[in-house]
Amino acid sequence: MRYIDCFNHFFPQNLWDKMLSTPGAAADIGSRMRGIPAIYDLDRRKQVCDQFRAKQDYTQVISLGMPPLEALGTPEQVEEFAKLGNDGMADLCAKEKDYFCGWLASLPMNSPNAAKELERAFKNGACGVQIHSNINGKPLDEEEFRPVFEVAEKHNKMVFIHPSRGAYDLADYKSEKKSKYEIWWTFGWPYETSVAMARLVFGGVMDEFPKLKVLAHHLGAMVPYFEGRVGPGWDQLGNRTTDEDYKTLLKNMKRRPLDYFKDFYADTAVFGSKAATDCGLAFYGPDRAMFASDCPFDPEKGPGYIRETIAIMEELNMSQADKEKICYKNAQTHLGIK
């Protein structure tokens, strides 16, 4: 079986060095990421991939890791980070084709030049773009971000949504100032992704750009498990609200809310959970799912989630043709990978 691992993270050397030498939020990334060599050390990353390339045809699509670039500085600073990242990714994929078959653009989403940088990145070979579930606390359906979606739709390139939320962004209780016990990550990130999807649906982005392809990281987050709420629940939109007219919004939508959510794509990066994989694939089906492992954030700092996700794919009770779609053919179709 061929595996195109479509959502993994890496920092090109020039960007990594620039971030660590820049005062403020950019330098802070080093405190965690230095403990995960495979996210910035090319030799270590190739060693991780070699464990799987020896057994099957395995390559990765790479994108930058956390935090979002827009959280790292002024628009001018972030524009420089984005250019360094995108140029570095293009160079890596050109030189290391046996390991990296494609890359996702990263953008200065706090800059009015984000769409311009996306045009440049696509011209330079990006096969998609990664954006985060909120832009420094702003929802994705804000008008200022629509030029990015317009460019992605125009070029028929997929938008990958990555969750973003920190301990101090939203507390879990009104009486507290921070989210404890990393609840902000374990439950907060799936919630963040699901909220972003809902804003794209109800905020009109999916109608404005009907050919836009959006992939929600981690198998669509909460949506497959909450199909009943997304379906029959949101068919009653407005019944629980008196201060806004959601009933008219529902009537004016071109389709049921559930149908919009079915239009998203999703990846298999669920940290080795067979139950989550079964649930997500039952919701999206083989035509809208793509293989991904989220390397290198497993406890082994590289190979763990790759190995476990491949094992789950091999155990799935589905036809070989459907497995091939998920493992590599959908990535070929939607990312333009040969």
Side-chain angles (χ1 to χ4, degrees):
M1 177 67 74
R2 181 180 181 183
Y3 290 93
I4 296 177
D5 198 339
C6 74
F7 216 152
N8 307 273
H9 305 294
F10 191 81
F11 288 100
Q13 190 66 52
N14 286 348
L15 175 61
W16 179 254
D17 292 342
K18 180 65 176 180
M19 292 172 72
L20 296 188
S21 65
T22 301
D28 292 341
I29 192 174
S31 61
R32 181 194 177 200
M33 294 302 179
R34 283 192 186 96
I36 310 175
I39 202 169
Y40 63 87
D41 185 320
L42 180 58
D43 289 338
R44 176 57 189 145
R45 184 56 161 261
K46 290 166 71 172
Q47 290 172 2
V48 169
C49 293
D50 281 339
Q51 297 181 39
F52 304 95
R53 294 178 66 246
K55 298 178 181 178
Q56 55 258 318
D57 184 354
Y58 174 84
T59 52
Q60 293 186 339
V61 176
I62 49 176
S63 55
L64 297 185
M66 290 289 287
L69 291 184
E70 59 265 16
L72 299 183
T74 65
E76 292 75 18
Q77 287 178 307
V78 176
E79 286 175 12
E80 182 181 5
F81 290 150
K83 289 178 181 178
L84 284 172
N86 292 332
D87 290 348
M89 290 294 198
D91 187 58
L92 272 171
C93 289
K95 293 179 178 178
E96 303 290 350
K97 294 180 180 180
D98 291 341
Y99 294 89
F100 307 130
C101 59
W103 58 282
L104 306 181
S106 293
L107 302 178
M109 291 294 288
N110 60 335
S111 164
N113 295 318
K116 182 179 179 180
E117 174 60 19
L118 185 56
E119 289 274 12
R120 193 186 75 87
F122 285 156
K123 185 177 181 180
N124 205 20
C127 62
V129 57
Q130 175 181 248
I131 62 174
H132 291 81
S133 54
N134 68 82
I135 310 302
N136 287 338
K138 295 181 179 180
L140 295 184
D141 60 320
E142 290 281 328
E143 286 294 330
E144 65 186 285
F145 307 129
R146 301 214 176 194
V148 169
F149 296 118
E150 181 180 3
V151 170
E153 184 189 52
K154 180 180 70 174
H155 289 275
N156 192 31
K157 299 289 189 179
M158 185 170 281
V159 175
F160 287 63
I161 296 181
H162 192 290
S164 176
R165 179 173 172 177
Y168 289 94
D169 293 334
L170 290 172
D172 303 309
Y173 293 93
K174 292 181 180 180
S175 63
E176 297 178 342
K177 294 183 178 180
K178 65 173 288 188
S179 174
K180 295 185 176 182
Y181 315 118
E182 299 183 357
I183 294 171
W184 58 268
W185 178 87
T186 305
F187 297 128
W189 276 23
Y191 175 78
E192 272 285 328
T193 305
S194 305
V195 169
M197 296 165 72
R199 291 300 293 255
L200 294 178
V201 170
F202 294 109
V205 174
M206 304 298 279
D207 278 338
E208 184 175 347
F209 307 105
K211 296 181 180 179
L212 183 68
K213 295 185 287 189
V214 182
L215 183 144
H217 202 10
H218 305 305
L219 250 177
M222 296 164 60
V223 172
Y225 185 79
F226 289 105
E227 181 178 6
R229 289 178 178 268
V230 174
W234 255 328
D235 285 341
Q236 305 171 67
L237 179 63
N239 287 350
R240 307 166 188 84
T241 304
T242 57
D243 60 342
E244 292 187 66
D245 185 10
Y246 290 150
K247 290 186 177 180
T248 298
L249 171 64
L250 183 64
K251 290 179 182 178
N252 290 337
M253 293 177 70
K254 297 178 180 179
R255 293 175 292 158
R256 290 180 67 197
L258 179 64
D259 294 335
Y260 287 93
F261 283 90
K262 287 277 190 177
D263 273 352
F264 286 85
Y265 295 78
D267 66 66
T268 64
V270 289
F271 313 109
S273 170
K274 176 66 161 54
T277 302
D278 288 337
C279 181
L281 294 183
F283 183 84
Y284 289 104
D287 291 326
R288 290 186 173 270
M290 294 165 62
F291 179 87
S293 67
D294 205 20
C295 172
F297 292 116
D298 58 276
E300 300 172 40
K301 302 178 182 179
Y305 290 154
I306 303 173
R307 182 180 60 250
E308 293 171 12
T309 309
I310 288 175
I312 288 173
M313 289 305 306
E314 291 177 346
E315 295 173 4
L316 287 178
N317 183 22
M318 65 169 53
S319 70
Q320 182 70 10
D322 284 345
K323 286 186 179 182
E324 289 175 355
K325 289 179 182 179
I326 297 169
C327 290
Y328 71 95
K329 287 187 175 180
N330 289 342
Q332 290 179 318
T333 299
H334 300 299
L335 303 184
I337 296 171
K338 297 180 181 179

